[in-house]
Amino acid sequence: MQTMEPIGTTPRGGLASPAVARNTGPILEVLRAHLPHRGAVLEIAAGSGEHALAFAGALPGLDWTPSDPSAEARASIAAWAATADLPNLREPLPLDVLDPTTWPEDRLPAVVCINMIHISPWAATEGLMALAGSRLAVGGLLILYGPYREVDAPLAPSNAAFDESLKARDPAWGLRDRDAVVAAAKARGLALTRRIEMPANNLMFLFRRT
């Protein structure tokens, strides 16, 4: 499981991320405003599973399916799910955006991806867009959250330092340029419809499948 913050372990075996504790509330506000009231949601790179637990609990009309290629992450997701026994929180999938054989076959109304794009190689972003472009229903929603570079806005010092730390850990990582992400989405039939500023110099982008 890729992360840049210290991860704790709960008595039940679930991993605990400080970043999740900070950003769950603001992200949930956007999801509640823009996701459909009913239907299936696929979460990409669900990590510890804390987001999945919180969102499934707060949005009971949605069937929430977390996924992560990491066995460690999936074990944590399952541990968190066991603490709540939510009927709309599905078992985690071993989905890898770089391996189409792991992608679900069904058409989806929504895909959510939080804090993956900057902690993965660019090929993962292209894979995410390919997945969303091929699996979202027409009008379906792709929601991204994280820090980005924007040519028309100065990079916050904290984000500049974060970018340097990412690249020091892995040269293939780093904050992505918004326009490059938008272009990769457009190539897969996904149109940017909304940009939302979030706390701590993060952004949310909403794309619709055309």
Side-chain angles (χ1 to χ4, degrees), residues 79-159:
W80 279 110
T83 68
D85 193 27
L86 295 172
N88 64 323
L89 179 56
R90 306 307 178 190
E91 292 186 6
L93 300 178
L95 187 153
D96 185 338
V97 293
L98 297 176
D99 182 2
T101 65
T102 67
W103 301 354
E105 294 295 332
D106 296 339
R107 290 283 180 176
L108 299 162
V111 172
V112 173
C113 183
I114 298 169
N115 281 336
M116 181 201 81
I117 286 180
H118 57 283
I119 312 181
S120 61
W122 177 248
T125 298
E126 295 177 320
L128 171 65
M129 298 308 177
L131 182 153
S134 64
R135 297 302 189 266
L136 282 174
V138 174
L141 185 63
L142 169 64
I143 299 180
L144 306 182
Y145 169 91
Y148 294 87
R149 292 180 174 273
E150 297 185 292
V151 295
D152 51 355
L155 187 64
S158 60
N159 276 356

